[in-house]
Amino acid sequence: MQKINKNAVLALLSLTSLVFLLFQLYYYKFYLSQKNGAVFSKVRGSQSGQDSTRWHVVRKFLGLLSSHNIPVYLIDPLILGLVDKDFEQIRSSPDSPSPECRYFCAPRDFTTFALLDKTWKHEVGLFRTAEKMGFQWLKIINKDPRLDGMDDLSGIEIPLHYIFKLASHAIHLVVFYERSGNYLWHGPLRLKQHMDRKFVPFRKLHFGRYPGAYEKPELLLVSIDDLKVQIPKNPSSFLEEMSHSRFLECRYREARAFFQLYPDDASLDAVEFRKKAKSLLHLAALTLNNLGVKFWLSSGTCLGWYRQCNVIPHSKDVDLGVFIRDYKADIIPAFQKAGLPLKHKFGKVEDSLELSFQGEDDVKLDIFFFYEEDDHIWNGGTQAKSGKKFKYLFPKFTLCWTEFVELKVHVPCETLQYVEANYGPDWKVPVKTWDWKSSPSNVQYNGVWPVDEWDDVIQIY
Amino acid sequence: MDEWKPNPAIKPHKKRSWYLAWKYKLMNQRALRKLCQTGAVLFLLVTVIVNIKLILDTRRAAYEEEEESAQDYDDEMLNVEVPRHPVSNKKVLDVEVYSSRSKVYVAVDGTTVLEDEAREQGRGIHVIVLNQATGHVMAKRVFDTYSPHEDEAMVLFLNMVARGRILIFTIKDEGSFHLKDTAKNVLKSLGSQVAPFLSWRDMWTFVGKKGGEVYGEKHAKSPALSTWGDPVLLKTEVHLTSVEDAECHWPDTELNRRRKRFCSKVEGYGSVCSCKDPTPIEFNPDPLKDNEVFDVPVAVIAGNRPNYLYRMLRSLLSAQGVNPQMITVFIDGYYEEPMDVVELFGLSGIQHTPISIKNARVSQHYKASLTATFNLFPDAKFAVVLEEDLDISVDFFSFLSQSIHLLEEDESLYCISAWNDQGYEHTAEDPSLLYRVETMPGLGWVLRKSLYKDELEPKWPTPEKLWDWDMWMRMPEQRKGRECIIPDISRSYHFGIVGLNMNGYFHEAYFKKHKFNTVPNVQLKNVESLRKDAYETEIHRLLGEAEVLDHSKNPCEDSFVPDTEGRVYVMFIRMEQEADFTTWTQLAKCLHIWDLDVRGNHKGLWRLFRKKNHFLVVGVPASPYSSKKPTSVTPIYMEPPAKEEGAVAVPAVAAAEQT
C-alpha cells in the first residue's frame, strides 16, 4: 500500500512538473511573440539572447527598408551616445568587421530611426512585406501642420510615427517633414482612442512627447556592429540639438478668431511694413545664428506671433531677446557688416544692456539682453534724455522652437506667461499707442544712471 | 545496453529474477532511496512554487507597465466618432420617383437623393445610378434633351454605366424635343416601354437595372401642346444583390484595390471600371533626361467637375517626366467625387471650404492652393499651376524643363505659360518656338515662389472683392512690366465647356480650334534668345529679314499672305499709343483669333503664323519696332464696328477671362 502510494505521488509530481515545464515553454513563447521586451527584460534582466534579438530586429528592419529603397538614418539617443564615444574609430574604419556587438545589443526597448517624408512614397507594400517578416506595426497619423495655418483647408492626415515590433524589440520610425524656414519637423505622438495603448511602452519613447524642430542633418554612412547604417555626421551635436528640440505650433485657430474680431490691416503700408519686418528678421536671424548667439522673439514681435501668427503691422520695430550670458562683443560689428548700423546702445553688459540697429526705412531692430535671477528674469530699459532706468520682470522661461514668417526661431515655451507679464491680461486687445516706459504691466522704476556713466551707457548714433 | 534488449531467447523466469535482484538491491539502500524521493518531491514543489511566483510577477509587472505607458500620449481631443449607420442587411430598397413640370425628386428608402424645383433650371431627363448591392448613389446627371446634342451625351453616359447598376430616370419640364431615335432605342433596350413614344411635355419616370429587370415605369401624356402631362409618382421596390456580384474580380493588387474602391462608389467613367481589361490607372511615361522640373510641385486647381478632373489627371500622369509625388489636387468645396478621382490615381488631394462667391471664391481658392503648395514644398522655387479642365501635352514637362532656368535668372519674366492665346490651328506652326508676351495667359503656368510670397500673397484680393485672380494678376500694379514666356503651339488644351464663365458657344468660338502639341520630346530651339536683351536682338534680326507685305490688300483676305511656306512676313497696323488696339482688335476678329481683349503682344508686336509663314504685325507708331517700317508703307487702319456691337462685346470680355 505504501509502495503504491509513493509511486503514485512520484508519478503525480512528475506529471505536474511536466505540465509546468510545458506551460513554461508556452509562456516563454507567448512572451516572445506577444509582449514587448521591456517587461521581459525587466524581469529576466539582460541576457545574451535578448541582446542579439535587438541586433537581429534592427538588421531585419534595415533589410526591410532597403528592399523598398527607403533611406532612414539612426537617431536613437542611446546608440548615438555610445557611437559618439568611439566615433573616431567608427568613422575611420567604416568596413572593418566588429568583434562584438557593442551598440545594437545594448539593453533598451526601442531603436529609433528617422525618415524624411519626401524621400519615400507612402506605400502599402512596405507594410505587407513587414507583416510577412513577422513585424507588427502601428501608424500614428495626424493633421498636417503645414496646412494648419491656412483658412479652411482640410488636407489628408499625414503619418507622423511608425512603430514596428518584432519579438521583444521595437523600432520607432519618426517621420520628418520639411517646413518653410528650411528645417525639419516631427510631430507629437498622440494615440487615438481606438489605438492599442499597450502596443509598446510609449512612455519610454525618445521622440514624440512633443513635436520637435531640427536642422537638416548631414549624414554619414557607417558600419556599426556589421550593420550599414546612416547616422548624423556629428552625433554629439545632434544629441545636443535633440535636448532642445521642442517645437510650438503657432496658435492658428486663435489667430483666426483674433482676425474675426479685429480684421487684418491689408493696407499697402501694412503690407510693406510686414515685408520689411520679415526681411529684417531674416537678416537678424542669419547674423545671430552665424555668431552662435541664441535669441528669441520678444515684446511686440512675440505678441504678434502668439496672438496673430504674423507681424503686427502697427508695431514699428522687430524685438529680439538674448540672454546676457550669450552676449558677444562681435554682435555690433556683425550687424554693421550685414548693413544694419547701430542706432543706439543703452546700458552695459553688467546692467540693462539694450542694442538698437537701424534697418531699412525706419524699421528698427531692438535686441534686449535678459538677466537671470533666482526666481525671475529681467531686462532693462533706459530713457535717453533723463538717464532713468527701467526694469521689466518676467517669470522664468525656457526656449522652444517655432516657425514665424518662414523662419525657425525661438520663443519662450511659456509664452502665455511671458506675454501676460509684458502686456497684462488684456494682451488680446490691440493697442495702437504704446509707451514702453509706462504701458508694460511688468515695468519697474530702477533708478537713474550716474551722470558720469552717461557717455558709456547712453550712446545714440 | 545489451541487457535491456528484449531477447526472445531468454526465458521469462530469468527476467523476473533480474527484476527482483534489482529491487532487493535498492531495498538495501533504503535510506538513500528515501532521501532521493524526498529530494525529488521537494525539488518539484519548489519548481512549482517558483513558477507560480514568476507568472504572478510578470503579470503584475506587465500590468503596471501598461497602466502608465500611454497616458502622456493620449490624444487630447477626444475623438468624436461619427456614429456609423448600422449596415442594413435589408435586401429591398423602396424607391420613389416623381416627375412633373416644375419639380422632380427621387427618394431611396425615404432619403431624398435628388430634389430639383428650381425655376428655369434642371430641364430634361434626370438620371441617377444606384449601386445594386449597397443602394448608394453613384452618379447623378441631368441631360437637357430639349436642346440638341444632349441626347448624345446621355447615350454616351448610359453606355458607360456598368451592367447590373440600377438606373432611375425622371423628366422635368420637357425632355423629348431633341430626344432622337438612337437615345430612345437605348432607353428601350433598358426595358422602357414608353421611351420610344415619349413626346412633347410628357411626364415620365422609369426604374430599371442595366441589362436586367424593370422595376417600374410611369408615364403621363401631355394632352395638348400648350400643357404638360400630369405629375407622375412612381413607387417601387428594388431588390439588392450581394456585394460580390456587384464587383469585378480583378487581381488583388494595390492598384486594383484603388480601382475597386472607386468603382464601387461612382459611375460614369467608362472603361476604368470595366471588369474585363480595364483601362490602366498608372501610366509610367518615359522619364525625362535632365529633368529640371522633377522637384517642382504641381498644384491642380479643381472644383466639382470630377469627369473633367479625371480626364485632366489622365493626361497629366501620362506626360513624360511627370512626378506624381509632387502633384496636389486642391478641391474647392467638400465634394466627394473629385476626391474619389484623386484617390483613384493615388494622388494627394486637399479640400478647401469655399470662401465668398463667384469669382472671389475662385480667387480665394487659388490663394489657398498656392499658399498650401509652397507650405507643403518649402524647398520649391516654383510651382506649376494647372486647372481641372486642361489636357496636358505629352511634352509639357519637357517644355518646362528646358525653359525654367530663364524664370530663375531673368528678373524681367513674370511667368512661363503653356498656353498661347493666339495659337489656333491656323495660326500656330512651330512646336520648338517660344515667344515673350506682355500678357499672362494662365491655363497651365509656372509661378515663381518669390513672386508669390513677396508680392502677390500679401496683396491678394480679399474675399469681398469680386475680382478674377487672373485679371488681377494682369493688372500693371502686379505685373510691373514683366513678361511671360509662351510656346507657339500650346502645351495645354482647354476642354472645359461648363464653368463659371464658360458655355458651349463660347468654347466653340474661342477654344475648340486651339492648337495642342502632341509631339513628344520637342527640342526647343531659341531658349537662350528669350532673355530680355537677347530677345530684342532676335526680333530685330527677324524684322530685318522679314518681307513687307502688300499693304494695299485687305489683311483679312487669305491672299494677303503669298502662297509660300517657311518665309517671314511683316505688316504694319496703326497704333497711335501703347493702349490703342483698335486696328489690332479688328484684325484679330477677321483672323478668327482671340479678340476679346489684347493678348500675345510684345512692345506693339504680335507674332503668329499664316499659311505656314511666320507673320509679324507691328503697331505704328507706338511700337519701338516702327522704325523698321519702310517710309513708303502706310500702316493699315481698320474701322471699329458700330457702337452697338462694341457694347455687346464688353460683357463677353469679362466672361472670357476666367474659365
Side-chain angles (χ1 to χ4, degrees):
Chain A
M1 197 60 197
Q2 204 189 12
K3 270 179 218 164
I4 295 165
N5 252 349
K6 271 179 191 163
N7 281 340
V9 168
L10 259 178
L12 196 74
L13 277 171
S14 308
L15 197 75
T16 328
S17 68
L18 201 71
V19 165
F20 263 99
L21 201 68
L22 284 173
F23 183 73
Q24 240 178 314
L25 274 174
Y26 167 77
Y27 204 69
Y28 179 74
K29 211 180 148 206
F30 173 78
Y31 243 111
L32 280 192
S33 61
Q34 287 287 311
K35 292 288 154 184
N36 53 72
V39 177
F40 197 82
S41 61
K42 188 173 175 181
V43 175
R44 282 282 177 106
S46 138
Q47 47 166 254
S48 65
Q50 274 301 303
D51 293 351
S52 66
T53 306
R54 294 185 197 111
W55 183 85
H56 277 290
V57 172
V58 171
R59 189 181 59 97
K60 266 194 153 179
F61 178 73
L62 289 173
L64 166 72
L65 291 184
S66 69
S67 72
H68 281 78
N69 263 328
I70 302 172
V72 293
Y73 57 97
L74 186 74
I75 51 169
D76 197 278
L78 212 128
I79 300 177
L80 283 182
L82 293 174
V83 164
D84 193 41
K85 284 182 198 149
D86 315 331
F87 193 49
E88 281 312 313
Q89 191 199 337
I90 288 170
R91 198 169 51 179
S92 55
S93 55
D95 289 316
S96 66
S98 70
E100 48 172 339
C101 178
R102 285 168 54 186
Y103 309 99
F104 285 122
C105 295
R108 65 193 187 281
D109 303 310
F110 300 95
T111 310
T112 319
F113 285 94
L115 167 65
L116 282 187
D117 163 68
K118 69 169 186 180
T119 55
W120 80 305
K121 234 162 103 180
H122 309 273
E123 51 189 333
V124 192
L126 174 71
F127 302 110
R128 313 202 120 202
T129 326
E131 275 164 19
K132 275 185 204 142
M133 291 170 80
F135 281 105
Q136 290 176 282
W137 57 274
L138 181 78
K139 172 169 146 184
I140 283 119
I141 57 170
N142 218 324
K143 273 192 303 189
D144 190 338
R146 296 167 301 179
L147 301 177
D148 232 23
M150 310 197 39
D151 294 352
D152 314 303
L153 275 194
S154 67
I156 29 180
E157 298 203 315
I158 52 171
L160 299 179
H161 298 264
Y162 293 101
I163 292 168
F164 293 84
K165 190 170 78 175
L166 181 67
S168 58
H169 197 62
I171 306 280
H172 179 196
L173 186 59
V174 184
V175 189
F176 281 81
Y177 289 84
E178 226 167 88
R179 295 189 49 177
S180 310
N182 203 28
Y183 67 101
L184 296 180
W185 172 91
H186 76 76
L189 193 152
R190 297 290 176 267
L191 298 172
K192 302 248 162 103
Q193 266 197 329
H194 56 86
M195 280 181 176
D196 179 9
R197 250 139 259 271
K198 294 166 186 174
F199 188 73
V200 288
F202 288 99
R203 277 201 156 194
K204 295 190 177 173
L205 289 173
H206 298 290
F207 289 80
R209 177 156 300 196
Y210 302 115
Y214 291 81
E215 294 298 307
K216 291 181 195 167
E218 279 185 83
L219 298 179
L220 184 70
L221 185 67
V222 293
S223 175
I224 306 174
D225 294 339
D226 296 332
L227 293 178
K228 288 239 176 253
V229 63
Q230 300 221 77
I231 60 167
K233 206 168 184 176
N234 190 343
S236 59
S237 71
F238 179 84
L239 292 173
E240 157 67 18
E241 190 181 11
M242 185 183 159
S243 58
H244 305 114
S245 65
R246 186 178 166 193
F247 181 88
L248 292 182
E249 204 65 67
C250 200
R251 301 153 71 247
Y252 295 110
R253 211 183 318 166
E254 288 82 356
R256 275 200 286 277
F258 173 81
F259 283 125
Q260 292 279 316
L261 272 176
Y262 310 100
D264 199 13
D265 183 355
S267 69
L268 215 58
D269 281 353
V271 169
E272 274 304 302
F273 175 74
R274 279 188 170 147
K275 199 175 149 187
K276 282 180 209 148
K278 178 179 164 184
S279 67
L280 180 61
L281 191 57
H282 275 247
L283 188 60
L286 185 72
T287 312
L288 290 172
N289 287 339
N290 282 343
L291 289 174
V293 174
K294 204 194 269 181
F295 68 94
W296 65 91
L297 304 183
S298 191
S299 310
T301 313
C302 186
L303 178 67
W305 170 78
Y306 192 67
R307 188 172 67 187
Q308 51 208 72
C309 298
N310 206 339
V311 174
I312 300 174
H314 56 259
S315 65
K316 287 289 162 255
D317 44 23
V318 172
D319 304 315
L320 301 180
V322 173
F323 285 121
I324 194 68
R325 59 177 140 91
D326 293 327
Y327 172 80
K328 285 186 181 164
D330 304 348
I331 290 178
I332 297 172
F335 272 105
Q336 272 160 344
K337 217 173 181 180
L340 301 174
L342 185 67
K343 196 177 177 216
H344 53 240
K345 177 184 175 191
F346 293 137
K348 49 189 181 180
V349 177
E350 300 78 41
D351 187 7
S352 303
L353 185 64
E354 177 192 343
L355 300 175
S356 278
F357 297 94
Q358 185 61 59
E360 184 197 349
D361 299 327
D362 279 356
V363 185
K364 190 162 58 94
L365 173 71
D366 289 331
I367 301 183
F368 303 107
F369 289 86
F370 283 67
Y371 297 79
E372 283 176 276
E373 305 293 338
D374 287 341
D375 59 344
H376 68 278
I377 298 179
W378 63 274
N379 74 305
T382 300
Q383 190 178 27
K385 61 172 193 273
S386 64
K388 276 185 193 157
K389 284 165 73 184
F390 299 91
K391 198 173 187 179
Y392 304 88
L393 304 183
F394 294 91
K396 285 219 155 196
F397 57 85
T398 49
L399 292 180
C400 278
W401 290 112
T402 193
E403 183 185 314
F404 186 60
V405 293
E406 289 170 67
L407 203 61
K408 175 189 156 212
V409 284
H410 276 127
V411 287
C413 300
E414 298 79 12
T415 330
L416 179 62
Q417 286 95 302
Y418 189 85
V419 167
E420 273 190 345
N422 214 176
Y423 295 95
D426 291 332
W427 56 271
K428 279 187 182 171
V429 183
V431 178
K432 294 226 172 176
T433 49
W434 182 259
D435 180 6
W436 59 272
K437 299 180 291 307
S438 58
S439 306
S441 54
N442 59 339
V443 68
Q444 275 183 12
Y445 185 63
N446 192 24
V448 184
W449 288 105
V451 179
D452 56 326
E453 278 188 50
W454 279 31
D455 283 350
D456 187 34
V457 299
I458 303 174
Q459 298 180 23
I460 297 173
Y461 300 92
Chain B
M1 283 300 273
D2 274 356
E3 302 94 301
W4 287 97
K5 266 188 186 164
N7 193 337
I10 296 169
K11 284 176 186 164
H13 167 75
K14 245 191 171 174
K15 205 178 178 182
R16 177 154 176 86
S17 71
W18 173 83
Y19 169 71
L20 284 173
W22 177 72
K23 203 171 152 189
Y24 178 74
K25 228 177 172 177
L26 281 177
M27 291 260 273
N28 275 354
Q29 299 169 345
R30 199 186 166 107
L32 184 70
R33 210 187 93 201
K34 224 170 182 165
L35 197 75
C36 278
Q37 277 184 354
T38 327
V41 170
L42 266 174
F43 177 75
L44 285 171
L45 276 173
V46 167
T47 317
V48 168
I49 291 166
V50 165
N51 264 306
I52 289 173
K53 193 169 156 37
L54 176 73
I55 291 166
L56 288 177
D57 272 1
T58 44
R59 265 272 150 81
R60 200 174 52 228
Y63 186 71
E64 280 169 3
E65 196 77 20
E66 284 155 4
E67 274 294 275
E68 63 181 338
S69 66
Q71 288 166 4
D72 260 13
Y73 291 91
D74 282 350
D75 205 343
E76 292 147 33
M77 287 182 297
L78 286 180
N79 259 12
V80 187
E81 292 259 325
V82 182
R84 292 221 176 133
H85 293 292
V87 182
S88 67
N89 289 320
K90 219 177 134 196
K91 289 283 172 213
V92 179
L93 284 183
D94 296 317
V95 178
E96 261 181 59
V97 195
Y98 183 77
S99 164
S100 72
R101 178 194 169 183
S102 56
K103 175 180 178 174
V104 287
Y105 77 80
V106 174
V108 177
D109 263 355
T111 311
T112 305
V113 294
L114 166 77
E115 184 160 26
D116 184 350
E117 46 186 334
R119 290 162 62 102
E120 321 266 320
Q121 261 182 44
R123 175 183 59 199
I125 303 181
H126 290 250
V127 186
I128 284 181
V129 184
L130 300 185
N131 186 306
Q132 68 271 42
T134 61
H136 288 153
V137 177
M138 301 182 73
K140 246 195 249 192
R141 298 283 191 282
V142 52
F143 300 98
D144 179 13
T145 43
Y146 170 82
S147 311
H149 304 305
E150 284 278 308
D151 61 333
E152 294 160 21
M154 184 173 80
V155 170
L156 211 65
F157 174 73
L158 291 177
N159 285 338
M160 278 199 291
V161 172
R163 273 177 74 88
R165 299 283 186 235
I166 294 151
L167 289 164
I168 302 172
F169 295 84
T170 177
I171 287 183
K172 182 178 177 189
D173 191 358
E174 212 303 306
S176 74
F177 191 55
H178 272 101
L179 191 68
K180 304 227 175 56
D181 284 346
T182 333
K184 285 181 176 170
N185 285 334
V186 169
L187 294 177
K188 191 179 162 197
S189 73
L190 291 172
S192 166
Q193 307 269 324
V194 181
F197 315 106
L198 266 184
S199 57
W200 176 250
R201 288 181 175 171
D202 284 0
M203 293 300 130
W204 172 65
T205 57
F206 173 71
V207 181
K209 179 178 248 177
K210 186 164 176 188
E213 51 200 305
V214 173
Y215 298 108
E217 184 167 26
K218 263 194 182 172
H219 175 233
K221 236 185 141 29
S222 152
L225 271 184
S226 58
T227 53
W228 283 261
D230 291 332
V232 292
L233 176 63
L234 171 66
K235 287 187 183 181
T236 181
E237 283 185 345
V238 170
H239 294 268
L240 294 176
T241 57
S242 71
V243 175
E244 289 75 45
D245 293 345
E247 283 179 346
C248 297
H249 301 285
W250 296 303
D252 185 36
T253 61
E254 166 59 13
L255 284 185
N256 279 338
R257 243 170 282 143
R258 274 178 2 215
R259 191 194 294 278
K260 202 171 228 168
R261 215 175 308 136
F262 180 76
C263 294
S264 66
K265 278 183 87 177
V266 292
E267 258 295 352
Y269 292 83
S271 53
V272 73
C273 292
S274 113
C275 284
K276 266 187 215 163
D277 195 22
T279 185
I281 53 172
E282 198 173 59
F283 306 94
N284 300 315
D286 295 339
L288 269 188
K289 241 197 218 165
D290 307 319
N291 190 348
E292 299 289 329
V293 290
F294 192 75
D295 289 333
V296 175
V298 177
V300 178
I301 316 285
N304 189 18
R305 294 180 290 177
N307 283 276
Y308 281 12
L309 185 63
Y310 175 78
R311 173 174 167 178
M312 188 274 165
L313 291 178
R314 283 192 81 90
S315 77
L316 176 63
L317 292 170
S318 309
Q320 289 179 358
V322 68
N323 179 0
Q325 274 189 271
M326 301 303 285
I327 300 174
T328 316
V329 182
F330 294 93
I331 299 163
D332 190 12
Y334 289 93
Y335 303 114
E336 265 184 56
E337 203 170 322
M339 206 59 181
D340 294 334
V341 172
V342 172
E343 278 165 12
L344 170 71
F345 290 112
L347 301 174
S348 52
I350 290 175
Q351 291 171 318
H352 178 216
T353 313
I355 302 169
S356 193
I357 47 156
K358 286 187 190 161
N359 303 350
R361 170 171 169 180
V362 175
S363 167
Q364 291 311 304
H365 182 49
Y366 259 86
K367 183 185 181 189
S369 307
L370 295 177
T371 304
T373 301
F374 288 119
N375 279 357
L376 289 173
F377 301 96
D379 264 2
K381 283 190 215 147
F382 308 100
V384 175
V385 185
L386 299 172
E387 285 153 51
E388 67 182 339
D389 52 2
L390 297 177
D391 279 331
I392 300 304
S393 165
V394 65
D395 82 327
F396 179 78
F397 292 104
S398 156
F399 156 70
L400 294 182
S401 173
Q402 292 175 64
S403 55
I404 198 146
H405 65 282
L406 293 175
L407 195 55
E408 195 170 355
E409 292 156 17
D410 188 346
E411 289 281 308
S412 69
L413 285 179
Y414 198 47
C415 75
I416 297 177
S417 175
W419 180 258
N420 176 4
D421 284 303
Q422 309 295 17
Y424 290 84
E425 290 285 356
H426 60 288
T427 57
E429 207 55 54
D430 187 351
S432 67
L433 184 62
L434 304 181
Y435 302 134
R436 277 179 84 107
V437 296
E438 288 169 16
T439 49
M440 205 220 78
L443 300 178
W445 55 289
V446 185
L447 169 68
R448 201 195 278 134
K449 180 180 182 177
S450 57
L451 170 67
Y452 181 69
K453 278 282 164 191
D454 297 343
E455 301 183 35
L456 303 179
E457 190 188 31
K459 291 193 290 185
W460 200 271
T462 44
E464 71 277 4
K465 295 195 176 102
L466 298 185
W467 288 353
D468 286 313
W469 69 274
D470 53 345
M471 286 306 272
W472 177 78
M473 263 192 82
R474 286 181 187 124
M475 278 155 53
E477 296 89 321
Q478 272 65 250
R479 195 170 63 79
K480 294 182 180 157
R482 289 169 291 192
E483 295 184 299
C484 288
I485 286 183
I486 58 163
D488 178 53
I489 300 183
S490 300
R491 267 31 179 211
S492 59
Y493 178 77
H494 185 261
F495 63 77
I497 296 180
V498 284
L500 184 55
N501 299 319
M502 198 36 111
N503 58 56
Y505 167 75
F506 187 66
H507 185 264
E508 189 123 355
Y510 288 103
F511 290 101
K512 205 169 177 188
K513 298 253 168 65
H514 232 95
K515 201 154 184 170
F516 175 59
N517 181 52
T518 52
V519 185
N521 287 318
V522 176
Q523 187 67 40
L524 305 178
K525 70 179 173 200
N526 57 352
V527 178
E528 287 315 306
S529 65
L530 283 150
R531 290 172 195 276
K532 191 169 192 255
D533 298 329
Y535 195 67
E536 295 311 311
T537 321
E538 171 73 9
I539 296 293
H540 281 283
R541 187 192 63 75
L542 256 184
L543 285 168
E545 76 176 57
E547 298 166 46
V548 179
L549 288 164
D550 182 354
H551 281 59
S552 62
K553 288 187 183 168
N554 180 353
C556 293
E557 306 257 313
D558 234 18
S559 59
F560 185 69
V561 177
D563 292 321
T564 54
E565 267 187 36
R567 309 280 275 273
V568 183
Y569 295 114
V570 61
M571 75 171 285
F572 298 91
I573 59 170
R574 201 198 286 181
M575 185 172 163
E576 295 301 341
Q577 8 77 27
E578 246 181 84
D580 170 23
F581 298 114
T582 325
T583 305
W584 166 255
T585 305
Q586 295 318 307
L587 184 65
K589 200 162 271 174
C590 75
L591 292 179
H592 300 291
I593 55 178
W594 187 272
D595 59 1
L596 299 178
D597 58 359
V598 183
R599 301 278 177 97
N601 50 317
H602 167 80
K603 298 189 176 176
L605 167 83
W606 286 265
R607 296 175 67 179
L608 39 131
F609 279 86
R610 278 183 86 176
K611 294 189 188 167
K612 305 201 173 187
N613 299 297
H614 202 19
F615 178 70
L616 311 176
V617 181
V618 177
V620 176
S623 169
Y625 310 122
S626 303
S627 57
K628 294 279 174 181
K629 182 182 78 66
T631 40
S632 57
V633 170
T634 316
I636 290 176
Y637 174 67
M638 292 166 83
E639 212 43 73
K643 269 267 159 88
E644 236 174 306
E645 252 180 83
V648 174
V650 172
V653 172
E657 296 324 321
Q658 225 288 306
T659 46

